[in-house]
């Protein structure tokens, strides 16, 4: 039996502007993970993947049109292993599904790692990331690549998208960032599901209606992301909090905040958070708050009282 795991992720800053060529910073959630267990199954049973967290009965076979089934096929081919095997694979995840926390990519990375270990074929982190990207691309068109990268490398990253479709195509810029002093984030889920492609589409319409205004907002976010990187490297937590607040003000202007997000952000501020903003697509989904040890418990309590359906805590190192 072989077990492997991969972390969830959050976007710290730069969401939406990143679609227009500005940088973003993404962080692994090292203590909130997806796990894959691979074990031999009775002869003739084939390959069955179970996902008991999704639903006790939820299983899929490698032949199905499912992102993880596709990844399973791609990985077995990459490992040079025949698909006609008898294996039981169990995928579990503590990462909320469809919440912008990278659960799909983390399950994928855990699956690839567990299979590589099980069959004793070494894969580099870049190989793992590429396999997960390939399977996501198959289903989501041209994902930016931020999720597979951060969950495979398990490092805070600076990310700028490449131009996969352009005449002069280019790869994304992915650079690990330096964390000068560990800091703590509290992450809260509004419980409102807002698919990323919907908010991204709404922003595109607004940008088309007022390109100069929106380009200026995106550029200002890009500038802030550069400042945030420097504050993280220098361990300047107070300035980091102020910059996150500024990023939220710009996201509000872009029109991707929501009453539920604003309620949680206000509650986090009132309880002493150093900074708070939405994370990911917005319109619902999750927010994050930067806290000190002295305010952490109060912020968690305030978020629950303000209606968060789930509150997670993580230390960024
Ligand atoms: O909601 P998430 O974590 O998938 O993040 C979406 C981030 C956006 O910048 C809004 C879209 C994108 O493709 O980068």
């Amino acid at each position: 039996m072989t077990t492997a795991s991969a972390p969830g992720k959050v976007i710290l800053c730069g969401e939406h502007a990143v679609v227009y060529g500005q940088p973003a910073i993404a962080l692994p959630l090292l203590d909130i993970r997806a796990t894959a267990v691979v074990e031999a199954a009775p002869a003739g049973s084939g390959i069955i993947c179970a996902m008991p967290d999704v639903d006790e009965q939820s299983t899929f076979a490698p032949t199905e049109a499912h992102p993880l089934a596709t990844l399973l096929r791609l990985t077995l081919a990459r490992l040079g292993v025949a698909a006609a095997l008898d294996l039981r694979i169990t995928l579990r995840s503590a990462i909320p599904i469809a919440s912008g926390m990278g659960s799909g990519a983390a399950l994928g990375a855990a699956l690839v790692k567990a299979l590589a270990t099980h069959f004793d074929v070494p894969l580099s982190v870049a190989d793992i990331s590429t396999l997960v990207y390939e399977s996501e691309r198959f289903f989501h068109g041209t994902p930016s690549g931020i999720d597979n990268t951060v969950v495979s490398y398990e490092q805070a990253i600076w990310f700028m998208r490449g131009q996969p479709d352009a005449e002069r195509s280019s790869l994304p810029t992915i650079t690990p960032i330096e964390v000068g002093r560990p800091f703590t984030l509290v992450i809260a889920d509004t419980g409102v599901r807002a698919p990323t492609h919907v908010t991204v589409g709404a922003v595109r319409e607004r940008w088309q209606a007022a390109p100069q205004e929106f380009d200026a907002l995106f550029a200002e976010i890009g500038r802030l992301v550069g400042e945030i990187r420097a504050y993280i490297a220098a361990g300047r937590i107070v300035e980091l909090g102020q910059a996150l607040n500024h990023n939220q003000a710009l996201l509000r202007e872009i029109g991707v905040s929501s009453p539920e997000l604003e309620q949680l952000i206000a509650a986090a501020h009132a309880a002493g958070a150093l900074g708070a903003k939405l994370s990911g697509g917005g319109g619902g989904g999750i927010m994050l708050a930067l806290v000190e040890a002295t305010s952490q418990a109060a912020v968690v309590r305030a978020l629950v009282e303000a209606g968060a359906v789930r509150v997670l805590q993580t230390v960024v190192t």
Side-chain angles (χ1 to χ4, degrees):
M1 186 167 102
T2 318
T3 303
S5 73
K9 73 103 204 345
V10 281
I11 295 183
L12 180 68
C13 56
E15 51 276 269
H16 287 290
V18 72
V19 175
Y20 298 82
Q22 300 294 338
I25 293 174
L27 307 171
L29 297 171
L30 294 174
D31 34 18
I32 303 163
R33 306 182 72 90
T35 306
V37 177
V38 178
E39 53 201 323
S45 56
I47 302 178
I48 287 293
C49 244
M51 301 213 287
D53 296 331
V54 176
D55 141 17
E56 272 308 317
Q57 312 306 326
S58 177
T59 61
F60 62 86
T63 45
E64 287 174 37
H66 181 292
L68 290 167
T70 305
L71 180 58
L72 184 54
R73 285 196 300 279
L74 288 171
T75 306
L76 293 174
R78 173 69 179 74
L79 297 175
V81 175
L85 290 165
D86 301 307
L87 287 179
R88 178 161 182 91
I89 302 171
T90 308
L91 300 173
R92 305 206 80 117
S93 179
I95 308 161
I97 292 166
S99 63
M101 286 196 242
S103 74
L107 281 168
L111 173 64
V112 175
K113 284 201 246 181
L115 286 167
T117 309
H118 190 81
F119 291 107
D120 207 15
V121 180
L123 285 186
S124 69
V125 177
D127 289 336
I128 297 165
S129 182
T130 303
L131 279 164
V132 177
Y133 182 76
E134 285 303 313
S135 73
E136 296 216 322
R137 201 160 67 104
F138 190 78
F139 278 85
H140 307 303
T142 50
S144 57
I146 203 167
D147 280 24
N148 53 284
T149 303
V150 73
V151 308
S152 301
Y153 284 82
E154 304 204 21
Q155 272 182 5
I157 57 161
W158 167 272
F159 182 91
M160 271 172 97
R161 68 177 302 167
Q163 298 203 314
D165 300 326
E167 220 166 273
R168 289 178 54 208
S169 70
S170 60
L171 293 170
T173 310
I174 297 161
T175 322
I177 67 165
E178 187 197 336
V179 180
R181 181 153 77 91
F183 59 92
T184 302
L185 295 176
V186 177
I187 298 159
D189 189 348
T190 59
V192 177
R193 295 277 77 90
T196 298
H197 72 268
V198 174
T199 47
V200 169
V203 171
R204 184 161 295 277
E205 279 176 20
R206 283 180 222 126
W207 171 69
Q208 280 163 343
Q212 282 177 349
E213 185 194 330
F214 273 71
D215 281 338
L217 288 168
F218 297 144
E220 178 64 2
I221 291 177
R223 193 190 60 73
L224 260 182
V225 173
E227 269 185 31
I228 287 173
R229 180 186 196 166
Y231 294 144
I232 293 174
R236 288 165 64 182
I237 302 296
V238 172
E239 288 93 339
L240 171 59
Q242 287 163 351
L244 295 176
N245 291 338
H246 189 175
N247 193 170
Q248 173 60 19
L250 295 164
L251 287 164
R252 211 176 273 139
E253 274 193 65
I254 287 171
V256 292
S257 197
S258 75
E260 295 84 1
L261 283 164
E262 290 299 328
Q263 189 162 328
L264 296 185
I265 289 165
H269 283 304
L274 293 175
K277 64 181 280 296
L278 70 83
S279 170
I286 55 168
M287 56 77 70
L288 53 82
L290 176 68
V291 296
E292 289 169 300
T294 46
S295 62
Q296 186 169 354
V299 171
V300 170
R301 229 178 3 256
L303 287 168
V304 172
E305 280 164 15
V309 296
R310 194 184 287 111
V311 180
L312 306 168
Q313 302 167 65
T314 191
V315 178
V316 182
T317 55

